[in-house]
Amino acid sequence: MDISTVNALSYEDFVNVFGNVVEKCPVVSAAVWSMRPFKNLAALEAAISEFIDALPETGKEGILRCHPDLAGRELQSGTLTRESREEQARAGLDALSSAEASRVSLLNEAYKTRFGFPFVICARTNDKETILQQLTERSRNQAAAERARGIDEVKRICHVRLQSLVLAEPPNKL
Amino acid sequence: MDISTVNALSYEDFVNVFGNVVEKCPVVSAAVWSMRPFKNLAALEAAISEFIDALPETGKEGILRCHPDLAGRELQSGTLTRESREEQARAGLDALSSAEASRVSLLNEAYKTRFGFPFVICARTNDKETILQQLTERSRNQAAAERARGIDEVKRICHVRLQSLVLAEPPNKL
């Protein structure tokens, strides 16, 4: 899919393609459709990033709260979005030992109790060990720093998903 | 469900209950969870309204673009959200004559081409005749006025959905 194809999409098709680059927040891609034409894929990614940055802090927390727990109930019950399922599986989070699963569950709950949003990390660019280590370490952060860190991870996830969507459809001229 | 019950919900339960009061925008309820405790249901509704008002114009357009066409493809194919399906059915939009259906389809397409977002109206508080009349009349509006009008309708839909969620679960003390 080249950028001229992207720029020619109706808002309905655009949201169908890019609606989950920010997990369960189709309103983000629906909003940035207003900013087309995009010069290239990086410009689309920048528009998404700027839209997120312009949200009030509550809105950023809202985005984080639309994310599933890592190795959580939705992974077990098969109700993750396709993108999250693939990302968690690639990182090995669908094959935790029973001891690891218990530990992640306890850490997830403690994190959510402390911050009021879930631990978000780009699973594609981290392996299981790093994710578990980060979950432990980041639990000790201050709330504002951790909210900012979570949003950085949302943007990393968005980058990976955008690349994946575009590379999936040759010719890739983006 | 009384307001103390609402205020005691985890963000996950809160989004499960209220996630679609703004169509396909769970991020809105996920965001206003930060503002609890709410004094009453009206305070929750006001928080949602203020969150929407604080969005940039692109964000408001994004919310409108998350809405389905009235009497459109998603109604035909059964892929509407439960709330939208019930609202469109109550207004009689699932039982249009073939002539009415053709007219609505043409008007919807013309509206979307002109404004870049779909025609949004609170179907619960309008009947079929009024909806068709409004679709024709509002198509002639200026874009900024029509965007504002669409957002007003989003808030009316939100009001009806909030009432419905709360009344569905006695005792209603909200």
Side-chain angles (χ1 to χ4, degrees):
Chain A
M1 190 170 17
D2 65 20
I3 197 66
S4 62
T5 307
V6 171
N7 286 327
L9 293 174
S10 70
Y11 74 82
E12 290 157 303
D13 290 336
F14 188 87
V15 174
N16 278 340
V17 174
F18 297 109
N20 211 49
V21 295
V22 177
E23 178 78 8
K24 291 186 185 167
C25 293
V27 67
V28 175
S29 57
V32 302
W33 185 81
S34 298
M35 282 102 140
R36 78 197 186 297
F38 302 103
K39 192 174 169 190
N40 49 35
L41 184 63
L44 168 56
E45 188 179 336
I48 292 171
S49 190
E50 284 161 24
F51 182 81
I52 294 172
D53 288 339
L55 290 174
E57 296 308 307
T58 54
K60 291 174 189 158
E61 291 177 354
I63 286 180
L64 295 174
R65 289 184 194 119
C66 288
H67 286 70
D69 287 354
L70 283 169
R73 271 181 300 183
E74 289 170 278
L75 175 64
Q76 310 304 326
S77 62
T79 54
L80 285 176
T81 61
R82 181 180 53 76
E83 293 87 346
S84 282
R85 187 178 66 242
E86 290 175 5
E87 288 158 4
Q88 295 203 25
R90 276 199 191 204
L93 296 173
D94 61 343
L96 297 182
S97 71
S98 148
E100 286 171 331
S102 298
R103 184 171 151 234
V104 168
S105 176
L106 283 171
L107 287 168
N108 272 338
E109 289 309 314
Y111 184 101
K112 289 190 286 184
T113 302
R114 177 167 163 86
F115 297 115
F117 49 78
F119 174 73
V120 174
I121 190 168
C122 180
R124 278 281 182 98
T125 51
N126 289 281
D127 58 17
K128 188 177 71 175
E129 285 67 32
T130 321
I131 291 171
L132 295 187
Q133 184 189 1
Q134 286 287 308
L135 176 51
T136 307
E137 288 182 11
R138 286 174 44 190
S139 293
R140 303 183 196 117
N141 279 349
Q142 293 301 304
E146 192 51 23
R147 183 174 56 216
R149 175 60 187 272
I151 289 296
D152 281 346
E153 297 291 335
V154 167
K155 292 177 184 174
R156 285 193 188 105
I157 296 167
C158 177
H159 174 79
V160 169
R161 291 184 180 182
L162 280 171
Q163 295 286 332
S164 164
L165 281 167
V166 168
L167 292 174
E169 296 188 52
N172 169 27
K173 295 179 186 166
L174 287 171
Chain B
M1 189 168 21
D2 65 20
I3 196 68
S4 61
T5 307
V6 171
N7 286 327
L9 293 174
S10 70
Y11 74 81
E12 289 159 304
D13 291 337
F14 188 88
V15 174
N16 278 339
V17 173
F18 297 109
N20 211 48
V21 295
V22 177
E23 179 79 8
K24 291 186 185 166
C25 294
V27 67
V28 175
S29 58
V32 302
W33 185 81
S34 298
M35 282 101 141
R36 76 199 187 296
F38 303 103
K39 192 174 170 191
N40 49 36
L41 184 63
L44 167 56
E45 188 179 336
I48 292 170
S49 189
E50 283 161 24
F51 181 82
I52 293 172
D53 288 339
L55 290 174
E57 297 308 307
T58 54
K60 290 173 190 159
E61 291 177 354
I63 287 181
L64 295 174
R65 290 183 193 120
C66 288
H67 286 70
D69 286 354
L70 283 169
R73 272 181 299 182
E74 289 171 277
L75 175 64
Q76 310 304 327
S77 63
T79 54
L80 285 176
T81 62
R82 181 180 53 77
E83 293 88 345
S84 281
R85 187 178 66 241
E86 291 174 6
E87 288 158 4
Q88 295 204 26
R90 276 198 192 206
L93 296 174
D94 60 343
L96 297 182
S97 70
S98 147
E100 286 171 331
S102 298
R103 186 172 150 231
V104 168
S105 176
L106 283 171
L107 288 168
N108 273 338
E109 290 309 314
Y111 184 101
K112 290 191 286 184
T113 301
R114 177 168 164 84
F115 297 114
F117 49 77
F119 174 72
V120 175
I121 190 168
C122 181
R124 277 282 182 98
T125 51
N126 289 282
D127 58 16
K128 187 177 72 178
E129 285 67 32
T130 322
I131 291 171
L132 296 187
Q133 185 189 1
Q134 285 287 307
L135 175 52
T136 307
E137 288 183 11
R138 285 173 46 190
S139 293
R140 302 183 197 118
N141 279 348
Q142 293 301 304
E146 192 51 23
R147 184 174 55 215
R149 175 58 187 273
I151 289 296
D152 281 347
E153 297 291 334
V154 167
K155 293 177 184 175
R156 285 193 188 106
I157 296 167
C158 177
H159 174 79
V160 169
R161 291 184 181 182
L162 280 171
Q163 294 287 333
S164 165
L165 282 166
V166 168
L167 293 173
E169 296 189 51
N172 168 27
K173 295 179 184 166
L174 286 171

